[in-house]
């Protein structure tokens, strides 16, 4: 069965715009995602995962420009690390801006990764905002290694 990429992408963007949750392949694992600027949507992720909101989630951005819009000061070392990384690399930044407060850790930090996966980048660029990324599992359960391993509670809990 051939999937219409444009239709899938547009459906994901509409769900994100409406504060819903998506299930999507990231550059590391299958993930649950939402609009990282929408506190209600972020709350839905914590509820679905049965996870305390004190345990931070990460945020994906499409490129350096989007990163710079949401971090007051990106250290030069962060750019060096991203340039040298051969695998997806998440960096913790201080004082993110324009992000839902329930996504930011109590110490005012946020883990952010510039997505390397083609679908993720295209999705985030089309949506024009950062998205949450967290593994598609209930907190404490094994991270699924493939789509077929995702529990039904997660599949039914996303839009």
């Amino acid at each position: 069965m051939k999937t219409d990429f444009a239709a899938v992408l547009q459906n994901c963007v509409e769900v994100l715009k409406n504060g819903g949750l998506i299930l999507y392949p990231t550059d590391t694992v299958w993930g649950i995602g939402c609009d990282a600027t929408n506190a209600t949507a972020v709350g839905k992720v914590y509820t679905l995962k049965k996870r305390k909101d004190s345990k931070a989630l990460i945020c994906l951005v499409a490129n350096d420009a989007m990163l710079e819009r949401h971090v007051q000061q990106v250290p030069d070392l962060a750019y060096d690390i991203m340039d040298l990384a051969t695998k997806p690399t998440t960096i913790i930044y201080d004082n993110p801006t324009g992000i839902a407060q329930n996504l930011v850790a109590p110490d005012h930090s946020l883990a952010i990764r510039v997505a390397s996966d083609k679908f993720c980048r295209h999705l985030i660029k089309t949506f024009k905002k950062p998205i949450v990324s967290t593994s598609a599992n209930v907190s404490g359960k094994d991270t699924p290694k493939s789509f077929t391993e995702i529990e039904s509670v997660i599949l039914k809990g996303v839009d």
Side-chain angles (χ1 to χ4, degrees):
M1 181 175 128
K2 186 177 178 186
T3 303
D4 181 353
F5 179 81
V8 169
L9 183 72
Q10 195 54 46
N11 183 45
C12 287
V13 169
E14 288 304 313
V15 168
L16 293 169
K17 283 181 180 177
N18 291 317
L21 305 183
I22 62 169
L23 185 64
Y24 68 112
T26 73
D27 39 15
T28 55
V29 297
W30 274 88
I32 299 168
C34 72
D35 178 352
T37 68
N38 181 329
T40 302
V42 172
K44 291 178 185 177
V45 173
Y46 285 116
T47 300
L48 178 59
K49 287 186 65 79
K50 297 178 172 70
R51 184 173 174 165
K52 294 179 181 175
D53 64 7
S54 60
K55 192 171 179 190
L57 302 171
I58 74 165
C59 180
L60 296 181
V61 295
N63 48 42
D64 290 351
M66 187 177 284
L67 173 66
E68 291 163 0
R69 282 196 300 275
H70 294 284
V71 175
Q72 289 178 6
Q73 179 62 44
V74 179
D76 289 339
L77 180 58
Y79 291 113
D80 294 342
I81 291 169
M82 288 185 283
D83 288 344
L84 296 171
T86 57
K87 294 181 180 178
T89 303
T90 303
I91 298 174
I92 298 173
Y93 296 92
D94 291 323
N95 304 312
T97 60
I99 298 294
Q101 278 308 116
N102 56 343
L103 190 56
V104 179
D107 68 353
H108 306 288
S109 67
L110 178 63
I112 302 175
R113 181 170 68 241
V114 176
S116 57
D117 176 80
K118 184 179 178 181
F119 176 79
C120 284
R121 280 190 150 173
H122 200 64
L123 172 63
I124 300 164
K125 282 181 185 177
T126 303
F127 182 54
K128 298 182 173 107
K129 295 182 190 178
I131 61 175
V132 166
S133 180
T134 183
S135 57
N137 62 309
V138 172
S139 189
K141 301 271 186 163
D142 291 340
T143 300
K145 293 176 180 57
S146 67
F147 181 82
T148 58
E149 294 179 12
I150 299 171
E151 292 181 80
S152 63
V153 68
I154 299 296
L155 293 172
K156 291 175 185 172
V158 297
D159 300 293

